[in-house]
Structure formats: structure tokens, C-alpha cells
Amino acid sequence: QVRLKESGPRLVQPSQTLSVTCTVSGFSVTSYHVSWVRQPPGKGLEWVGAIWKGGSTDYNSALKSRLSISRDTSKNQVFLKMNSLQTDDTGTYYCAKHYNNYYFDYWGQGVMVTVSS
Amino acid sequence: DIQMTQSPHSLSASLGETVSIECLASEGISNYLAWYQQKPGKSPQLLIYYASSLQDGVPSRFSGSGSGTQYSLKISNMQPEDEGVYYCQQGYKYPYTFGAGTKLELK
């Protein structure tokens, strides 16, 4: 059974770094791409970036300078790191498994991150 | 970036009614278009991919169509469980982008 679960801090101070882990089961991160998608409270979805099954990455150009996505294949985990956080980075961060490269068929439950002092 | 413009912003439908949601891309996306449903407090669920392919397990009252820059999602025979917010997403170019969402409520 495919599952993704995000874990990370619920509260981050402005200018600090966010670190979120996505632990997957039911598939291998070396066989399927995984993306991060975020959603500010009450708003729409924004693609953050992806780590492809081969290990390369692509980032949303609007966030690229602050973003890093990596993985640990032995633990089947994907990591999101975003630095210099501001209040408009507040939102729910989801990891999602790709389907046919371009879409997302399984999503984690999300982790709600608040950026506040 | 490719802009995805959804309409309407919200709508309400009666039980059994048929509704349509539109999505307009700022440039051609060659049918690399998906539709998702999101219920309050839940993660999005993939309904349609490649503009018109129904994801496994999704009821057949959901259907997608379109080409080029214009796409639509049709929900036939509206059911209570269809309430939620619907998003389109283009997978044609990075960054992948989503529409702003359409909130569907039962009248």
C-alpha cells in the first residue's frame, strides 16, 4: 500500500530554515519521482520542486535560491529544506508521488508549518 | 510560467445536476492537464489526467475534455460527496502550475 508521511516542525521563526522529511512506503523513491507541493491557509496549491527517480532535482524558479530537495534511498525518504523563511511561507507542505511523470496520484497528509516569531 | 485560469471561482449544484468547471492555460499544454478534488482538511485527490483519462477508482460521473489551452471538468449527477474544491494542474512545463481552485457546494 502506497503511503507518504511528512514530518517536521510546526513552528519556524522568520529567517530560519525549514526542514521537512517525507517517509514513503509501498514504492521506492528510486522508481518514482516525488514532488513537494505547498498550500497557504485558505489558498491554492503551489508546486515547490521535485526529485526525480534518478536523483536529479527541479525547483520552482520563484523558490530556487532558497530550496534544496534531497533523498536517502536506504530509508526511502525525501527531504525538503528551505532557508530564509518569511511569513508568506506559512502553509501546509505536502509530498506527493508522481504518476506518469506529470501528475500526482498519492499525497501525504501534509504538515502545517507556521512562520512566526 | 504557464498561468492556469479557472472558472467559476465557486458554484452550487443540486443533487443530480450536471456541472462544469473550466480551466484556461496561458499557452498550449498539449493535454498535459490534470484535475484534483480537495476536501476540507484533506490532501488533493487525482481525478483526471491527460485531460480526459479517468484515474482508477474515480466514479465515471467525472469526465474531462479539452485541448490546446482550454479544458473542462464535468461532473454528472451531482452527489453530496462531490462537495469540495477542484483544481486543474498543467504538467507540460516546469514549474508545474495549478489553477486557483473552484469551490463546489451542494445546493
Side-chain angles (χ1 to χ4, degrees), chain A residues 6 37-46 91-94 107-112, chain B residues 6 21 35-48 62 73 75 80-88 98-105:
Chain A
E6 305 86 350
V37 177
R38 70 178 184 175
Q39 184 171 36
K43 296 190 177 180
L45 301 163
E46 180 182 33
T92 299
Y93 286 75
Y94 297 99
W107 298 63
Q109 64 191 16
V111 59
M112 174 62 198
Chain B
Q6 264 184 257
I21 299 169
W35 291 97
Y36 299 86
Q37 177 195 62
Q38 187 178 31
K39 297 186 178 182
K42 300 294 186 182
S43 307
Q45 177 190 356
L46 178 65
L47 301 174
I48 301 283
F62 291 90
L73 173 71
I75 307 171
E81 60 266 31
D82 298 337
E83 284 192 311
V85 180
Y86 292 81
Y87 296 95
C88 59
F98 294 84
T102 295
K103 186 173 184 179
L104 175 61
E105 294 178 322

Side-chain angles (χ1 to χ4, degrees), chain A residues 73-87:
Chain A
T73 57
S74 67
K75 295 182 178 179
N76 229 13
Q77 291 178 321
V78 175
F79 309 105
L80 170 72
K81 286 193 176 180
M82 185 181 298
N83 58 33
S84 304
L85 253 61
Q86 300 302 319
T87 54

Side-chain angles (χ1 to χ4, degrees), chain B residues 1 44 46 53 57-58 61 73 97:
Chain B
D1 298 359
L46 178 65
S53 295
V58 175
R61 63 179 181 273
L73 173 71
T97 45

Side-chain angles (χ1 to χ4, degrees), chain B residues 41-89:
Chain B
K42 300 294 186 182
S43 307
Q45 177 190 356
L46 178 65
L47 301 174
I48 301 283
Y49 61 97
Y50 282 134
S52 60
S53 295
L54 192 67
Q55 175 67 347
D56 290 346
V58 175
S60 58
R61 63 179 181 273
F62 291 90
S63 62
S65 63
S67 63
T69 62
Q70 295 184 295
Y71 299 87
S72 63
L73 173 71
K74 186 170 79 171
I75 307 171
S76 304
N77 187 22
M78 172 78 181
Q79 297 297 303
E81 60 266 31
D82 298 337
E83 284 192 311
V85 180
Y86 292 81
Y87 296 95
C88 59
Q89 174 244 325

Side-chain angles (χ1 to χ4, degrees), chain A residues 36 57 59 63-64 66-70 79-82:
Chain A
W36 290 94
T57 54
Y59 302 133
L63 304 170
K64 188 173 184 176
R66 302 193 288 131
L67 198 56
S68 173
I69 297 175
S70 60
F79 309 105
L80 170 72
K81 286 193 176 180
M82 185 181 298

